[in-house]
Amino acid sequence: MYKLLSHNDLDGVGCGILAKLAFGKDVQVRYNSIAALNREVELFFENDDPETVLFITDLSINEKNEKNIEAFFQSGGKVQLIDHHKTSLNYNQYDWGNVIVEDDDGKLTSATSLFYHYLIEKGHLSKTEALDEFVELVRQYDTWEWEKNDNQQAQRLNALFFLVSIDEFEKKMLERLKSFDHFQFDDFEKKILDMEEGKIERYIRRKRREIVQAQINDHFAGVVYAESYHSELGNELGKEYPHLDYIAIINMGGKRLGFRTIHDHIDVSKIAEKLGGGGHAKAAGCTLTENAYKLYVSNTFQLEPLHEDAKNNRYNVKGVSFGTLYLNRREDHFFIHSNTNSEWIIEKNRRQLAQTFSSFTEAEKFLKRTEACWLTDDDHFVNYLKNEVKKRK
């Protein structure tokens, strides 16, 4: 008999689907939140047959259960923990721990991809093209490679996961992976996913108007409240406001705090780890503890939302040497342009700041961080130039 304790997200459920394909009716699968796992492990030791093989995937355990599992293993018990988060690397000191963040080819792993290779290696599961494709979609979504590779199939798989119950998703995937040579969505799923994409676009459009900017410790963060579409939201807000180091997404109902970044030089797993959480370099999270609540809720609640840059400008565009106009809530005007030394300078209300910049991007980043300003529309830009001409006459 086998028992799998896994996370309740797409990657965790992907492990459950593989377990059911490998072991059929001989496996019991339980999906858990991060907070609920340790109680499930305790119940295993209290109630399950000691001959049962225990798998833990995509989740980490507390120190007490770590000791209990080691004692169970040393007494002849069969257990295997498989994870891919950097915060779980310490389990590699045990024979029952297998934590790999990157594979030999330099690819980021997921729990589903690691468990898939484990099951094949142990002879529990046979490799197929459909399984390869399914596992790769899960891996790319969980590691955020889908965005870099523009893999919309991976994003749509996660969207489908949230549109139906876990039981229904499992059933659909099991039938599909058993019956087809390649992984694909059926016609009905394509229709509801098309509708869902429209819903996501509207949701993100609304959240763009709600995000606030705050300097938290050594980073500039965008803070937004949201209970849905965290990955899509974090990705789009990160691209909309690239001067921010990361996006912090507060789920008040779930008492969770998620972190997302589009930048390679920022590792949000380190930020989450300091707050008792963990995750990946570009996607991580933690429980909304008292300290996290103070930093991201109490200290930011009174802040004004960021103003979006003007869209579809023809004249006031970014990066032109002639100049680009910005405005803040105090109605200060900021003009970024290059000088004869190929440096970029900022004029605030027609007075040049002392600091110069090597690129337009650096100048804009500085300006947006210090002044929370936005790109003005063409009409405002043209009127500004007209007034400049009049004053010079």
Side-chain angles (χ1 to χ4, degrees):
M1 190 65 185
Y2 301 88
K3 186 165 191 175
L4 172 71
L5 303 179
S6 193
H7 198 194
N8 56 5
D9 67 353
L10 176 63
D11 192 26
V13 174
C15 293
I17 290 166
L18 295 179
K20 291 186 175 183
L21 287 170
F23 305 118
K25 294 181 180 179
D26 290 332
V27 65
Q28 181 187 8
V29 177
R30 300 274 296 184
Y31 298 118
N32 301 270
S33 65
I34 295 169
L37 172 69
N38 286 300
R39 181 55 185 155
E40 281 287 345
V41 176
E42 291 168 6
L43 290 172
F44 171 81
F45 289 125
E46 291 172 9
N47 303 321
D48 283 78
D49 187 329
E51 295 299 315
T52 298
V53 179
L54 175 64
F55 291 107
I56 299 173
T57 56
D58 203 34
L59 287 169
S60 57
I61 50 178
N62 61 22
E63 188 176 343
K64 176 184 174 183
N65 278 326
E66 187 177 332
K67 292 177 180 177
N68 288 340
I69 287 177
E70 173 63 6
F72 175 69
F73 182 83
Q74 292 299 332
S75 65
K78 296 177 181 178
V79 58
Q80 181 70 63
L81 182 146
I82 294 176
D83 197 11
H84 63 127
H85 299 102
K86 288 194 293 185
T87 47
S88 298
L89 284 169
N90 62 295
Y91 300 131
N92 284 334
Q93 66 183 297
Y94 302 110
D95 290 335
W96 47 265
N98 181 27
V99 182
I100 301 173
V101 178
E102 284 188 7
D103 64 18
D104 294 337
D105 297 325
K107 277 187 177 181
L108 292 173
T109 64
S110 69
T112 299
S113 66
L114 292 173
F115 194 43
Y116 181 48
H117 294 304
Y118 172 89
L119 293 171
I120 292 171
E121 183 183 310
K122 298 298 182 182
H124 298 305
L125 193 61
S126 296
K127 185 181 176 71
T128 70
E129 287 193 33
L131 274 172
D132 285 350
E133 292 163 359
F134 171 75
V135 169
E136 180 61 9
L137 290 177
V138 174
R139 188 196 68 81
Q140 287 205 27
Y141 185 83
D142 199 65
T143 60
W144 262 41
E145 282 188 24
W146 72 271
E147 196 277 331
K148 181 175 68 175
N149 299 330
D150 194 27
N151 189 339
Q152 295 303 312
Q153 289 289 87
Q155 190 273 333
R156 285 164 77 87
L157 180 63
N158 187 71
L160 181 63
F161 173 75
F162 281 103
L163 283 172
V164 299
S165 68
I166 287 179
D167 288 343
E168 187 177 352
F169 183 81
E170 261 192 345
K171 183 180 178 182
K172 283 175 174 285
M173 294 303 110
L174 287 169
E175 290 175 352
R176 195 158 309 173
L177 294 169
K178 288 176 182 177
S179 305
F180 296 97
D181 294 333
H182 293 277
F183 182 84
Q184 57 191 354
F185 299 109
D186 63 33
D187 290 340
F188 177 72
E189 289 166 351
K190 289 175 183 177
K191 288 179 181 178
I192 63 171
L193 286 168
D194 288 342
M195 294 171 62
E196 183 69 3
E197 285 177 2
K199 184 178 176 183
I200 292 172
E201 287 177 10
R202 292 190 295 274
Y203 188 80
I204 291 173
R205 196 179 305 129
R206 176 158 57 90
K207 291 302 173 182
R208 282 197 187 106
R209 299 193 291 268
E210 298 176 7
I211 186 172
V212 302
Q213 172 179 301
Q215 184 171 3
I216 300 175
N217 297 322
D218 298 328
H219 297 101
F220 278 82
V223 181
V224 67
Y225 293 81
E227 295 193 351
S228 305
Y229 313 121
H230 285 188
S231 291
E232 294 86 352
L233 182 62
N235 183 53
E236 289 302 318
L237 291 178
K239 290 191 292 186
E240 179 77 18
Y241 302 105
H243 70 285
L244 297 173
D245 293 316
Y246 65 91
I247 307 299
I249 304 171
I250 301 168
N251 182 347
M252 292 299 288
K255 297 181 181 178
R256 293 283 301 168
L257 179 60
F259 302 103
R260 301 290 188 273
T261 184
I262 63 168
H263 302 295
D264 292 334
H265 68 282
I266 301 295
D267 186 344
V268 292
S269 71
K270 293 179 180 178
I271 296 168
E273 191 173 357
K274 290 178 181 178
L275 296 167
H280 307 292
K282 293 194 173 184
C286 66
T287 303
L288 198 58
T289 60
E290 183 177 350
N291 185 31
Y293 185 91
K294 180 180 178 181
L295 286 172
Y296 292 92
V297 180
S298 298
N299 293 352
T300 68
F301 190 76
Q302 299 300 328
L303 297 176
E304 290 286 341
L306 287 173
H307 196 296
E308 291 182 73
D309 286 339
K311 300 290 192 296
N312 304 316
N313 278 356
R314 294 177 58 195
Y315 307 113
N316 192 32
V317 295
K318 298 184 180 186
V320 295
S321 59
F322 173 77
T324 309
L325 186 65
Y326 292 80
L327 189 68
N328 68 9
R329 291 189 181 277
R330 296 185 299 275
E331 297 192 355
D332 295 316
H333 287 85
F334 300 88
F335 199 60
I336 303 178
H337 62 95
S338 63
N339 60 18
T340 54
N341 297 322
S342 298
E343 297 173 321
W344 291 86
I345 61 177
I346 299 175
E347 293 181 6
K348 178 180 180 180
N349 296 327
R350 303 176 184 85
R351 297 185 63 181
Q352 182 177 326
L353 302 185
Q355 188 170 354
T356 60
F357 305 88
S358 60
S359 68
F360 171 84
T361 301
E362 287 301 312
E364 186 193 43
K365 181 179 179 180
F366 170 83
L367 188 56
K368 288 204 166 202
R369 287 186 169 195
T370 56
E371 298 290 346
C373 57
W374 61 90
L375 182 75
T376 68
D377 60 28
D378 278 344
D379 288 343
H380 197 107
F381 178 66
V382 170
N383 287 332
Y384 176 84
L385 294 180
K386 285 180 178 178
N387 289 333
E388 285 295 293
V389 171
K390 287 180 182 178
K391 287 178 183 177
R392 290 176 183 179
K393 287 182 178 180

